[in-house]
């Protein structure tokens, strides 16, 4: 698509073919900042590109910011958890606003993030940092004492998460002290949280000029397995409360522009608990689901939010109305092999023949033995569905958990 | 859209088409490098459309828009002009939806083009029609047979999808075209006289079944099939209506000599016409063992040479028939007849070696391998004897099957052709001792001590002799290669003469630089080749011994595919007075289009059965390795520079396209 030189020039931090594909058909000038293995591909396909290895911030970090500034890039957009603080550092140079870097650190450290949220008056569960296994034992005990459990009663679980990893990576659920011994030394320090019984969901919010421009609620059928958009009316009825929560979050974290992806629990009495927030696109291909459901491209929406030259008219024209403008419900299911030994991929007839079934990206297994899942692990591929009835979608996604895709 | 009206086939057409169109639109909007991100949804939607009444039609009409949306981009299917009908089978029977659907959509595109509904920039209506008929003819099982258990397990409902698709394609193109095409194809293969004819027999069976089915309207087509079908099932008066072996036996017993003579010539004519032998023929042969050699000779259709051979070695021939010729192994007769015609029994060691073969005790391992490959309808010894007869009778009918063992297949063919008693020695070692020892530069190389060959798995789709011998040869060949590691020249230089025989020339030329893979010294290479092999430049000396050579195989778009081993057999003028190279290709079907106008011929240009041929220049343009006798090098300086230039042009347009040395070819060749 022809680029409009009067609009912003953006840098994408990280490699995502889906994002590049979206940028190609959008009017903003762009450049991809990615590790040097991407070079050949970019040259071959005429993709604007700057090589950069995002290992950790160091003395040379200014270099990439200066390069982008010389190119008159207006803003950098992070695609992955690991590039969030890079975007903060770069944008603080590009926009001459050092606070942006500090803000990005809040998004990168889950313990800092929770404390900040707490200070802003947002409800969070009980949490603490752990530096070794003893900390975990103490926390597990204390949480369960608080819940007035007696010795011998089954414990309420606690959750352990790495400070700076995305989504389910490194996420463990601990119920008994024996399980604590299984945690490898190198995973510490970690963040510990009490378990919140409730309905977990995620929100995607596009923010420009400190205001929410589009708010999506993603409904998890089972965490780590499946998600669909828009949510069922049962969850959507909380939209006013959820919007209020997001506005609090924007104020607390002083977010002027960009995109956030927070997770919440809503308990049976309607109380919202904040889980965590990320300043980058969600996993599980939620962006793709949104495009399927609403027709707008979520990466382009992100660019619109980050670009300081975006106009109000553009924003109004770009976004559809939430929920009512959705053409249907789009969901996806992450497949984990259920057997210890598998030899081939076999999509169940009932899945492939379902009227909601769209496509899958599963591939034939390369190894026959399935690695035992530690923590939450990674799925082997996604299956996509689309249909017009949210409850049918929810039940369909739930049903997939009982099926074998690898036999 | 509600659940209740959902059918087994996955829904009603309009909503499925809506899904498809939506997915296709998303694909169309995507830049070419990212098409693969969006094509999955289109293919999955199309899959379900096919399964619904009217779905194929809807897809066919959408092919122009699907193709312009980029569904084929980045794959071979984006160039329909280079697609090979023979490969469709593999993608249509693949387990992955994406592969099957790409092929299916491509065929629907061909149909749209063939019907004139889609004007395609790179294929014509006729080409598309031709392609489709070939694809259908080569996959008649998809048209007429329900899926086998294996297909069902591998493909699930995809196996039903391909059948639905084929039904639609056949309805669109007309059954009569398919059957005629298939018949042409069978004749084309039979003209190469392969040893393995099971696949051909299978196709003939399909045609016979097709003709017998009143539901299939064949019109005037299928006439040419009669000779094929009758050569197998109703060859002579005595078995005209395919009466069954028992009835035929009774009829034989009541025939007088004149009737038997009539049967004998009938079978012989059919056998030599087609290369196919009827099971009834075996029955007649066994019956005639008691009735005198005149009728036996008639039944094999022998000329005076063959008859002399039969009479000189009467007992041996009888013993071999008794062992090998059965209704389950009729092809043995054809092998035996040609063996006798070749007169090789007059070479002193051959007859005694065949006596050894008749009595050869097979190792338990060999018996087991033969058993696995051919079943237990016949004893392993009989099966192997059949194989030996066929290989000695049809040295150019050897095929490598679906295995990377062209070197070994070539060696077997070369020995059967040039050194039959050595071949028999190899068979004895392999079948009885489970070990072959060859020597490489004075050192023994055992097939038992070197378990790793070129082929990763034991081949199974081979004739009986290859089945037992090839694994040994393959390991020896691979070990010889290992012993050449570290030498800075192509190992074939040393391996070929040691592996194939003393007659492989010790002079060696190669057209590429080993280190860089770039073309190297082409001018010199070609001059030596012309001077050694071209009768106009080598003093009109016909080629004496078959010579191993290496060619760069290219596809129909002249793109490099890989290196391949062949045998140079003879060079002479064809009936049109064009100088041709006649060669043996161990690949199972030599008739191949190598692109840029180089089409290998297998008949009609003076070829003998099993030979492939090309005009000398065309052949030279795919050659990259040859051997020659350094003491008879001809005069390389005399070669017409025009010829050399033409050949170099052809090389640069095909496999040499991305092998140009940095300085250009002229720099390195200008000095010679």
């Amino acid at each position: 698509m022809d680029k409009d030189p009067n609009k912003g020039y953006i840098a994408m931090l990280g490699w995502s073919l889906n994002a590049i594909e979206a940028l190609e058909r959008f009017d903003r000038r762009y450049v991809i900042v990615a590790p040097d293995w991407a070079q050949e591909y970019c040259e071959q396909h005429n993709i604007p590109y700057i090589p950069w290895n995002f290992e950790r911030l160091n003395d040379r970090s200014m270099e990439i910011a200066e390069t982008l500034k010389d190119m008159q890039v207006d803003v950098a957009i992070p695609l992955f958890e690991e590039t969030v603080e890079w975007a903060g550092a770069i944008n603080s140079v590009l926009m001459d606003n050092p606070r942006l870097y500090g803000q990005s650190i809040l998004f990168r450290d889950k313990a800092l993030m929770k404390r900040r949220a707490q200070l802003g008056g947002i409800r969070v569960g009980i949490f603490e940092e752990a530096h070794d296994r003893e900390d975990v034992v103490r926390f597990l005990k204390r949480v369960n004492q608080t819940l007035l459990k007696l010795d011998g009663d089954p414990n309420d679980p606690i959750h352990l998460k790495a400070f700076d990893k995305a989504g389910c990576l490194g996420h463990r659920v601990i119920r008994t002290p024996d399980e604590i011994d299984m945690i490898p030394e190198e995973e510490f320090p970690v963040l510990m949280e009490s378990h919140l019984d409730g309905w977990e969901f995620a929100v995607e919010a596009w923010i420009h000029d400190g205001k929410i421009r589009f708010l999506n609620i993603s409904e998890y059928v089972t965490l780590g397995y499946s998600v669909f958009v828009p949510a069922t009316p049962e969850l959507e009825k909380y939209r006013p409360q959820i919007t209020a929560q997001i506005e609090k979050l924007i104020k607390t974290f002083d977010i002027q522009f960009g995109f956030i992806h927070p997770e919440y629990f809503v308990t049976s009495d309607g109380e919202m608990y904040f889980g965590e927030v990320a300043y980058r696109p969600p996993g599980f291909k939620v962006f793709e689901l949104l495009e399927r459901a609403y027709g707008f491209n979520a990466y382009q929406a992100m660019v619109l939010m980050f670009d300081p030259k975006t106009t109000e008219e553009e924003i109004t024209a770009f976004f559809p109305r939430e929920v009512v403008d959705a053409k249907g419900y789009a969901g996806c299911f992450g497949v984990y092999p259920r057997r210890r030994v598998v030899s081939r991929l076999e999509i169940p007839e009932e899945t492939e023949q379902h009227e909601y079934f769209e496509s899958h990206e599963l591939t034939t297994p390369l190894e026959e033995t399935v690695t035992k899942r530690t923590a939450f692990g990674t799925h082997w591929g996604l299956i996509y569905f689309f249909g017009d009835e949210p409850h049918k979608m929810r039940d369909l996604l739930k049903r997939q958990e009982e099926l074998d895709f690898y036999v | 859209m509600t659940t209740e009206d959902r059918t087994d086939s996955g829904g009603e057409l309009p909503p499925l088409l809506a899904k498809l169109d939506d997915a296709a639109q998303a694909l169309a909007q995507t830049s070419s490098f990212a098409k693969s991100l969006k094509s999955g949804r289109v293919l999955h939607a199309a899959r379900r459309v096919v399964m619904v009444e009217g779905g194929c039609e809807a897809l066919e009409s959408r092919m122009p828009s699907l193709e312009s949306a980029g569904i084929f981009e980045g794959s071979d299917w984006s160039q329909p002009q280079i697609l090979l009908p023979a490969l469709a089978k593999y993608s249509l029977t693949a387990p992955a939806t994406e592969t099957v659907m790409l092929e299916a959509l491509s065929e629907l595109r061909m149909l749209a083009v063939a019907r004139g509904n889609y004007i395609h920039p790179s294929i014509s209506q006729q080409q598309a029609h031709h392609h489709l008929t070939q694809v259908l003819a080569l996959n008649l099982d998809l048209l007429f047979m329900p899926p086998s258990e294996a297909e069902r397990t591998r493909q699930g409902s995809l196996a039903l999808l391909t059948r639905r698709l084929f039904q639609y394609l056949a309805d669109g193109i007309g059954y009569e075209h398919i059957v005629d095409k298939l018949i042409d194809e069978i004749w084309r293969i039979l003209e190469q006289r392969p040893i393995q004819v099971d696949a051909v027999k299978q196709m003939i069976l399909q045609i016979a079944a097709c003709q017998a089915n009143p539901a299939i309207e064949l019109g005037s087509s299928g006439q040419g099939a009669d000779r094929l079908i009758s050569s197998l099932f109703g060859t002579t008066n005595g078995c005209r209506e395919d009466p069954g072996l028992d009835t035929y036996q009774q009829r034989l017993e009541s025939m007088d000599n004149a009737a038997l003579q009539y049967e004998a010539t009938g079978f012989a004519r059919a056998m030599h016409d087609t290369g196919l032998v009827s099971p009834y023929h075996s029955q007649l042969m066994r019956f005639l063992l008691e009735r005198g050699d005149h009728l036996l000779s008639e039944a094999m259709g022998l000329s005076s040479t063959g008859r002399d051979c039969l009479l000189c070695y009467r007992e041996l021939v009888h013993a071999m028939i008794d062992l090998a010729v059965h209704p389950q192994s009729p092809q043995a007769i054809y092998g035996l007849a040609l063996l006798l015609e070749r007169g090789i029994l007059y070479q002193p060691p051959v007859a005694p070696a065949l006596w050894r073969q008749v009595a050869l005790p097979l190792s338990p391992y060999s018996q087991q391998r033969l058993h696995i490959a051919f079943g237990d309808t016949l004893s392993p010894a009989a099966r192997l004897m059949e194989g030996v007869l066929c290989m000695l009778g049809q040295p150019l009918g050897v095929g490598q099957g679906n295995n990377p063992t062209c070197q070994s297949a070539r060696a077997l063919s070369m020995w059967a052709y040039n050194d039959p008693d050595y071949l028999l020695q190899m068979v004895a070692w392999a079948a009885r001792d489970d070990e072959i020892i060859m020597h490489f530069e004075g050192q023994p190389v055992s097939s038992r001590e070197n378990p790793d060959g070129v082929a990763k798995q034991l081949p199974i789709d081979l004739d009986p002799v290859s089945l037992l011998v090839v694994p040994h040869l393959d390991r020896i060949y691979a070990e010889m290669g290992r012993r050449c590691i570290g030498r800075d020249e192509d190992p074939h230089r040393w391996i070929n003469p040691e592996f194939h025989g003393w007659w492989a020339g010790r002079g060696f030329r190669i057209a590429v630089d080993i280190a860089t893979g770039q073309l190297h010294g082409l001018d010199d290479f070609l001059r030596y080749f012309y001077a050694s092999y071209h009768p106009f430049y080598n003093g009109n000396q016909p080629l004496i011994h078959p010579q191993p050579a290496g060619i760069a195989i290219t596809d129909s778009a002249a793109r490099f595919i890989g290196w391949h081993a062949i045998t140079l057999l003879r060079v002479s003028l064809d009936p049109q007075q064009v100088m041709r190279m006649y060669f043996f290709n161990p690949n199972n079907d030599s008739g191949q289009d190598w692109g840029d106008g180089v089409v290998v011929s297998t008949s009609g240009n003076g070829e003998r059965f099993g030979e492939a041929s090309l005009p000398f220049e065309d052949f030279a343009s795919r050659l990259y390795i040859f051997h020659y006798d350094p003491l008879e090098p001809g005069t390389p300086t005399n070669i017409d520079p025009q010829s050399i230039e033409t050949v170099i042009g052809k090389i640069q347009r095909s496999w040499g396209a991305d092998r140009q040395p940095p300085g250009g070819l002229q720099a390195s060749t200008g000095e010679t």
Side-chain angles (χ1 to χ4, degrees):
Chain A
M1 192 187 213
D2 285 341
K3 304 296 173 191
D4 187 341
N6 298 318
K7 291 182 178 158
Y9 187 178
I10 63 116
M12 275 283 179
L13 307 188
W15 181 259
S16 154
L17 207 49
N18 278 305
I20 301 170
E21 186 272 325
L23 288 168
E24 268 295 311
R25 50 187 169 98
F26 200 48
D27 63 1
R28 266 40 176 204
R29 289 164 295 157
Y30 74 91
V31 60
I32 303 297
V33 184
D36 43 20
W37 45 254
Q39 182 141 13
E40 199 183 325
Y41 189 89
C42 290
E43 279 168 7
Q44 203 179 336
H45 298 286
N46 289 321
I47 298 167
Y49 163 78
I50 297 178
W52 190 257
N53 288 318
F54 300 102
E55 274 145 19
R56 53 196 185 87
L57 289 173
N58 57 26
D59 299 346
R60 289 186 56 218
S61 304
M62 270 307 272
E63 202 178 302
I64 183 68
E66 295 296 343
T67 309
L68 293 173
K69 191 169 190 175
D70 291 346
M71 291 167 67
Q72 293 175 330
V73 166
D74 293 295
V75 65
I77 304 178
L79 282 178
F80 300 102
E81 192 61 32
E82 292 73 12
T83 56
V84 167
E85 74 217 59
W86 281 92
I90 292 169
N91 286 336
S92 62
V93 174
L94 296 181
M95 300 180 163
D96 197 18
N97 180 357
R99 291 170 56 95
L100 289 173
Y101 176 60
Q103 182 197 50
S104 72
I105 295 299
L106 291 179
F107 293 123
R108 281 289 279 148
D109 185 312
K110 283 179 185 169
L112 286 178
M113 181 196 298
K114 291 232 170 192
R115 293 206 191 289
R116 179 60 165 255
Q118 217 169 18
L119 289 175
I122 296 169
R123 292 194 79 143
V124 297
I126 308 171
F127 69 94
E128 230 173 77
E129 293 94 331
H131 295 278
D132 52 35
R133 296 197 185 90
E134 263 171 44
D135 290 345
V136 185
V137 176
R138 204 177 320 119
F139 184 74
L140 180 68
K141 265 195 188 144
R142 199 139 42 102
V143 165
N144 280 289
Q145 275 170 356
T146 324
L147 292 168
L148 298 176
K149 301 251 170 160
L150 299 170
D151 271 354
D153 277 353
N155 279 335
D156 248 31
I158 58 167
H159 295 258
L160 264 58
K161 292 173 183 173
F163 283 131
D164 59 351
K165 283 191 185 144
C168 293
L169 285 173
H171 181 172
R172 290 171 178 275
V173 182
I174 301 286
R175 284 189 175 76
T176 65
D178 320 348
E179 286 168 332
I180 297 169
D181 293 334
M182 316 265 284
I183 309 168
E185 201 69 53
E186 59 273 16
E187 282 193 15
F188 288 98
V190 293
L191 177 75
M192 302 177 288
E193 293 170 299
S194 60
H195 179 74
L196 290 167
D197 257 333
W199 195 356
E200 188 173 9
F201 61 90
V203 173
E204 286 78 34
W206 282 262
I207 301 159
H208 192 77
D209 238 355
K211 292 197 286 276
I212 302 172
R213 302 312 175 110
F214 190 88
L215 188 149
N216 173 67
I217 305 170
S218 292
E219 182 160 342
Y220 294 139
V221 181
T222 301
L223 183 64
Y225 278 95
S226 41
V227 63
F228 66 95
V229 299
T232 52
E234 290 76 24
L235 186 53
E236 279 291 344
K237 78 170 191 237
Y238 293 111
R239 182 172 276 271
Q241 287 105 300
I242 292 171
T243 308
Q245 286 293 326
I246 300 296
E247 279 162 352
K248 247 185 196 171
L249 209 56
I250 290 173
K251 209 170 147 210
T252 308
F253 286 84
D254 190 17
I255 303 168
Q256 283 305 304
F257 61 86
F259 169 86
I260 56 169
H261 163 61
E263 283 176 335
Y264 289 92
F265 288 87
V266 51
T267 52
S268 45
D269 53 2
E271 197 66 65
M272 303 272 168
Y273 283 87
F274 169 75
E276 59 186 65
V277 59
Y279 196 67
R280 47 140 181 101
F284 249 71
K285 300 280 170 82
V286 172
F287 272 22
E288 282 71 21
L289 297 182
L290 281 166
E291 183 160 23
R292 183 74 182 102
Y294 284 100
F296 78 87
N297 184 284
Y299 291 103
Q300 295 173 357
M302 237 178 127
V303 171
L304 212 53
M305 296 298 102
F306 275 87
D307 179 3
K309 296 179 181 162
T310 299
T311 62
E312 283 298 319
E313 295 73 42
E314 252 189 309
I315 295 173
T316 319
F318 187 89
F319 285 114
R321 289 171 301 159
E322 288 132 344
V323 189
V324 285
D325 279 348
K327 291 177 289 178
Y329 294 81
C332 70
F333 177 78
V335 172
Y336 300 89
R338 295 179 351 133
R339 305 182 183 184
R340 274 297 277 145
V341 177
V342 297
S343 58
R344 64 199 158 85
L345 167 69
E346 192 178 284
I347 311 284
E349 283 288 300
E350 68 164 274
T351 302
E352 204 154 22
Q353 297 298 334
H354 196 279
E355 56 175 314
Y356 281 13
F357 173 79
E358 292 245 305
S359 65
H360 68 77
E361 40 191 52
L362 299 172
T363 51
T364 307
L366 298 175
E367 283 175 26
E368 295 210 331
T369 318
V370 177
T371 333
K372 215 170 164 197
R373 274 171 79 183
T374 62
F376 269 77
T378 346
H379 56 76
W380 281 27
L382 294 170
I383 306 180
Y384 296 90
F385 299 95
F386 183 77
D388 48 15
E389 221 286 301
H391 299 105
K392 198 158 145 187
M393 175 65 77
R394 183 189 62 200
D395 298 344
L396 176 63
L397 291 171
K398 188 77 193 158
R399 166 74 186 144
Q400 304 307 309
E401 292 172 26
E402 296 160 31
L403 302 176
D404 277 316
F405 292 81
Y406 286 96
V407 293
Chain B
M1 195 162 61
T2 62
T3 18
E4 284 65 40
D5 59 17
R6 218 180 84 222
T7 62
D8 279 350
S9 53
E12 290 181 333
L13 194 51
L16 288 176
L17 286 176
K19 260 181 195 287
L20 175 71
D21 293 341
D22 194 89
Q25 200 195 339
L27 178 69
Q29 289 169 353
T30 300
S31 320
S32 59
F33 66 84
K35 294 287 186 199
S36 62
L37 295 175
K38 311 275 173 147
S39 58
R41 237 179 90 205
V42 177
L43 295 174
H44 282 279
R47 168 184 180 161
R48 298 170 71 184
V49 169
V50 174
M51 294 310 287
V52 180
E53 197 57 42
C56 287
E57 213 173 330
L59 279 175
E60 186 193 340
S61 69
R62 280 170 170 74
M63 280 321 300
S65 60
L66 282 175
E67 184 161 13
S68 68
I71 190 69
F72 298 122
E73 255 183 67
S75 73
D76 273 353
W77 285 283
S78 65
Q79 290 170 275
Q81 68 277 20
I82 65 157
L83 293 177
L84 291 176
L87 296 182
K89 176 178 231 85
Y90 301 105
S91 33
L92 287 170
T93 52
T97 301
E98 289 79 359
T99 318
V100 176
M101 283 314 299
L102 275 173
E103 185 67 46
L105 290 179
S106 176
E107 302 308 345
L108 286 167
R109 163 183 62 184
M110 293 290 185
L111 185 60
V113 175
R115 295 210 234 211
N117 299 331
Y118 178 9
I119 311 297
H120 199 282
S122 44
I123 34 162
S124 69
Q125 200 170 342
Q126 287 75 15
Q127 282 172 312
H129 192 276
H130 183 68
H131 179 92
L132 265 186
T133 50
Q134 292 204 17
V135 168
L136 286 162
L138 291 169
N139 296 284
L140 281 194
D141 49 335
L142 290 179
L143 199 50
F144 297 124
M145 313 265 206
S148 67
E149 202 44 48
E151 278 178 275
R152 280 183 177 283
T153 328
R154 190 175 60 241
Q155 284 197 298
S157 62
L158 279 175
L160 299 174
L161 178 141
T162 49
R163 276 156 182 83
R164 238 188 127 89
L165 171 78
F166 266 54
Q167 204 68 49
Y168 180 76
L169 294 175
D171 286 341
I173 209 95
Y175 284 89
E176 63 279 10
H177 295 288
I178 305 164
V179 171
D180 282 349
K181 178 66 221 163
L182 179 61
I183 292 166
D184 290 349
E185 183 66 17
I186 292 173
W187 278 113
R188 198 182 63 75
I189 293 171
L190 285 179
E191 273 163 357
Q192 303 174 48
R193 290 296 192 272
I195 292 176
Q196 289 179 282
V197 288
D198 284 350
V200 167
K201 286 185 175 175
Q202 206 53 48
M203 287 194 268
I204 295 173
L205 258 173
Q206 288 193 9
I207 299 176
C210 206
Q211 285 186 333
N213 185 345
I216 299 172
E217 184 58 60
L218 286 178
S220 63
S221 72
Q223 306 295 344
D226 291 350
R227 186 56 170 150
L228 296 171
I229 297 171
S230 74
S231 73
L232 289 177
F233 304 112
T235 324
T236 59
N237 261 342
C239 59
R240 177 80 55 224
E241 80 289 15
D242 196 6
L245 292 168
D246 292 341
T247 313
Y248 186 63
Q249 181 70 26
Q250 287 164 15
R251 287 183 192 171
L252 286 177
E253 279 158 17
S254 60
M255 282 185 197
D256 59 12
N257 263 8
L260 287 173
Q261 164 95 33
Y262 198 70
E263 290 292 298
T265 47
F267 278 124
R269 198 177 309 123
M271 174 174 84
H272 286 289
D273 259 12
T274 60
L276 296 174
V277 192
S278 162
Y280 293 114
H281 196 168
S282 294
Q283 197 138 10
L284 176 74
M285 290 286 286
R286 297 192 72 81
F287 184 76
L288 292 181
L289 281 176
E290 317 287 318
R291 290 296 185 105
D293 295 331
H294 171 70
L295 283 173
L296 212 49
S297 157
E298 286 292 303
M300 287 190 275
L302 297 180
S303 73
S304 57
T305 312
R307 196 160 45 238
D308 271 357
C309 238
L310 164 64
L311 296 173
C312 282
Y313 295 92
R314 183 177 177 279
E315 275 184 51
L316 173 61
V317 173
H318 277 247
M320 292 193 296
I321 293 175
D322 192 41
L323 174 59
V325 175
H326 298 276
Q328 298 83 6
S329 57
Q331 292 301 127
I333 305 170
Y334 188 53
L336 175 61
L338 296 181
L339 181 156
L340 293 172
E341 288 294 340
R342 290 183 65 204
I344 53 173
L345 288 180
Y346 292 125
Q347 294 179 27
V350 173
L354 282 169
W355 274 117
R356 173 182 58 193
Q357 186 65 42
V358 168
L360 192 74
L362 303 188
S363 73
Y365 177 72
S366 300
Q367 297 195 22
Q368 188 200 355
R369 292 273 295 149
L370 287 164
H371 185 89
I372 292 169
F374 299 103
D376 52 5
T377 53
L378 211 56
S379 74
R383 195 52 86 185
L384 183 58
M385 192 72 228
E386 180 203 15
V388 166
L389 291 175
C390 286
M391 192 168 280
L392 288 178
Q394 305 162 259
L396 306 183
V398 179
Q400 69 192 74
N402 193 17
N403 313 293
T405 49
C406 52
Q407 301 277 351
S408 304
R410 171 174 73 178
L412 285 174
S413 156
M414 204 183 279
W415 298 330
Y417 184 83
N418 191 51
D419 200 355
D421 83 274
Y422 184 69
L423 174 72
L424 289 165
Q425 188 64 56
M426 288 286 162
V427 174
W429 282 337
R432 182 190 58 207
D433 309 332
D434 293 330
E435 180 177 25
I436 288 178
I437 295 177
M438 285 183 159
H439 287 78
F440 185 66
E441 299 175 344
Q443 301 298 313
V445 181
S446 157
S447 63
R448 199 185 284 169
E449 288 161 14
N450 298 288
D452 290 331
V454 179
K456 295 285 168 278
Q457 286 170 327
L458 277 181
I460 200 84
D461 52 345
L462 295 175
D463 66 85
V465 171
S466 302
L467 182 79
L468 295 189
V469 185
V470 163
H472 294 281
L473 297 181
D474 187 39
R475 286 177 220 141
I476 291 173
Y477 171 76
E479 173 60 20
M480 287 182 177
R482 283 190 280 271
R483 294 194 188 182
C484 291
I485 289 172
R487 305 186 188 182
D488 52 4
E489 279 193 79
D490 188 279
H492 295 101
R493 172 183 207 118
W494 302 281
I495 296 176
N496 279 342
E498 300 263 6
F499 189 70
H500 292 92
W502 63 267
W503 59 84
R506 293 276 166 175
F508 178 82
R509 293 270 158 180
I510 181 165
V512 289
D513 179 62
I514 303 299
T516 62
Q518 308 285 7
L519 295 172
H520 174 72
L522 262 195
D523 189 89
D524 220 21
F525 174 83
L526 290 169
R527 281 176 187 281
Y528 269 85
F529 181 62
Y530 269 73
S532 294
Y533 287 93
H534 196 296
F536 292 173
Y537 302 106
N538 73 357
N540 205 18
Q541 170 61 56
L543 213 160
I544 301 172
H545 296 104
Q547 289 293 336
I551 49 172
I553 292 271
T554 47
D555 68 6
S556 53
R559 296 177 304 190
F560 177 72
I561 297 176
W563 309 116
H564 188 56
I566 57 145
T567 311
L568 307 180
L569 295 172
R570 56 194 182 92
V571 185
S572 72
L573 290 170
D574 71 8
Q576 283 77 45
Q577 300 302 303
V578 175
M579 189 60 76
R580 293 184 89 84
M581 173 62 79
Y582 296 90
F583 59 98
F584 166 72
N585 184 343
N587 195 312
N588 316 292
D589 178 4
S590 307
Q592 295 165 348
D593 182 349
W594 290 348
D596 191 28
V598 178
V599 180
V600 182
S601 155
T602 54
S603 74
N605 288 302
E607 294 89 354
R608 297 169 189 159
F609 291 139
E611 281 181 342
S613 86
L614 277 175
F616 199 86
E617 281 182 358
D618 285 352
F619 180 81
S621 75
R622 296 297 186 274
L623 184 75
Y624 90 102
I625 276 181
F626 70 94
H627 292 259
Y628 65 103
D629 185 344
L631 300 179
E632 297 174 9
T635 339
T637 43
N638 280 358
I639 319 301
D640 174 18
Q642 190 63 46
S643 300
I644 302 283
E645 213 164 287
T646 315
V647 176
I648 290 183
K650 285 173 190 280
I651 294 174
Q652 287 170 327
R653 286 198 300 277
S654 59
W655 64 280
D658 42 16
R659 296 173 180 276
Q660 315 280 353
L665 281 172
Q666 296 313 317
S668 60
T669 55
E671 299 150 22
T672 50

